[in-house]
Amino acid sequence: MNKIALSGPIWLASDLHLGPATPATSEAFLAFLQAAQEDAAALLLPGDIFDAWIGDDVIRAAPPWLATVLTALRETAARIPVWLGRGNRDFLIGQELADAVGAKLLPEPALLETDFGQVLLTHGDEFCTDDAAYQQFRTMVRNPQWQAEFLAKTIPERLAMAQQARGESQAANQTKSMEIMDVNGAAVDAIFRETGVRVLVHGHTHRPARHVLDIDGKKRERWVLPDWDFDHVSPPRGGWLVIDQDGLEFYDLETES
């Protein structure tokens, strides 16, 4: 298990889905980074930071929206430690991006050693085992050979493939129940038993909540990080989780900003 020792208030945010079509969400994220620089001891972004990530080489000629985000991440990482995680949308985030902004890559899962105690952190899509089609896709795209072949294509080719995959995913999700796309209870129970942790934090499902569980007679907690959208829904939504010596607490971006 990959352990990360962190002290002080730890801020976590995921499922930002930043891209050229989310200018308002990007603005909210920039304000969030400014606040993190002042009040957080470390910032962890466990996946789906970007709505799509076709390879780190895009930063060599970054479009304006991305260049702005990268600059803000770099400025934040110069003030506090920043960790970038990989999600189901940005699983191709790699070392080049991390180095470019002065961040580190989050292992998955990561065992955080915090002032509150141990917290297991992951993106969360691995727990959605009822969605067999997605799990097949996940296995395929995380295969090093598949990734090498994909990254060998031109940027326009990769963009076209990503857009096609996104369209197919959206169409498929229309026919899936919310239960299928949520975590599987047995999969969650298994990770608690395997690791022995009391607290699990993940994103991915867009169902922010604190779940109190009883597993083998022991209290366990599963905290689900909120997704962000300041462009396509009203009212806008977004938020983060803080872990400090007193425990875990959600903060809503709209009311806190």
Side-chain angles (χ1 to χ4, degrees):
M1 182 68 64
N2 296 288
K3 294 183 179 181
I4 302 174
L6 299 167
S7 184
I10 304 164
W11 286 26
L12 302 95
S14 72
D15 299 278
L16 307 156
H17 299 283
L18 302 178
T22 60
T25 306
S26 292
E27 283 299 318
F29 181 59
L30 298 180
F32 168 74
L33 291 180
Q34 285 289 331
Q37 291 178 31
E38 299 298 326
D39 297 327
L43 173 63
L44 283 65
L45 305 172
D48 282 7
I49 305 164
F50 302 102
D51 196 48
W53 192 256
I54 61 168
D56 286 359
D57 54 338
V58 299
I59 68 176
R60 301 171 195 171
W65 74 267
L66 178 57
T68 299
V69 170
L70 297 179
T71 296
L73 283 171
R74 190 178 303 112
E75 291 173 350
T76 304
R79 299 279 300 276
I80 60 174
V82 174
W83 299 78
L84 307 179
R86 304 173 180 90
N88 55 297
R89 300 284 190 86
D90 50 15
F91 53 85
L92 286 173
I93 284 178
Q95 196 63 52
E96 182 177 353
L97 171 61
D99 290 344
V101 299
K104 296 181 180 180
L105 292 175
L106 266 176
E108 190 171 287
L111 185 62
L112 309 182
E113 301 277 2
T114 77
D115 292 342
F116 178 67
Q118 291 187 335
V119 174
L120 188 67
L121 176 65
T122 182
H123 181 63
D125 56 329
E126 69 271 35
F127 302 130
C128 300
T129 55
D130 291 330
D131 191 344
Y134 170 70
Q135 292 301 324
Q136 291 176 353
F137 171 80
R138 185 179 190 274
T139 298
M140 178 185 73
V141 299
R142 289 173 181 262
N143 181 290
Q145 181 178 347
W146 184 93
Q147 293 188 2
E149 293 173 355
F150 180 81
L151 292 172
K153 300 180 184 298
T154 66
I155 288 180
E157 288 174 329
R158 281 180 268 157
L159 281 172
M161 291 177 66
Q163 290 171 350
Q164 179 181 355
R166 180 64 184 138
E168 292 174 351
S169 174
Q170 288 176 329
N173 287 347
Q174 296 300 315
T175 65
K176 296 177 182 177
S177 69
M178 290 302 295
E179 288 72 24
I180 286 178
M181 293 187 290
D182 203 353
V183 300
N184 174 277
V188 170
D189 290 356
I191 197 68
F192 276 115
R193 292 190 177 105
E194 177 186 339
T195 62
V197 299
R198 294 188 299 112
V199 179
L200 167 67
V201 174
H202 69 83
H204 179 65
T205 65
H206 299 193
R207 291 182 168 190
R210 170 182 176 257
H211 300 274
V212 179
L213 311 172
D214 185 312
I215 300 176
D216 302 330
K218 299 177 181 177
K219 178 184 174 182
R220 299 289 183 258
E221 295 183 14
R222 177 171 70 91
W223 293 68
V224 186
L225 298 168
D227 64 308
W228 293 39
D229 191 343
F230 279 66
D231 294 275
H232 307 113
V233 298
S234 182
R237 63 176 181 260
W240 72 100
L241 181 70
V242 175
I243 305 174
D244 60 21
Q245 61 184 1
D246 297 321
L248 291 75
E249 186 173 357
F250 281 125
Y251 289 84
D252 181 81
L253 192 65
E254 184 183 11
T255 59
E256 294 294 329
S257 59

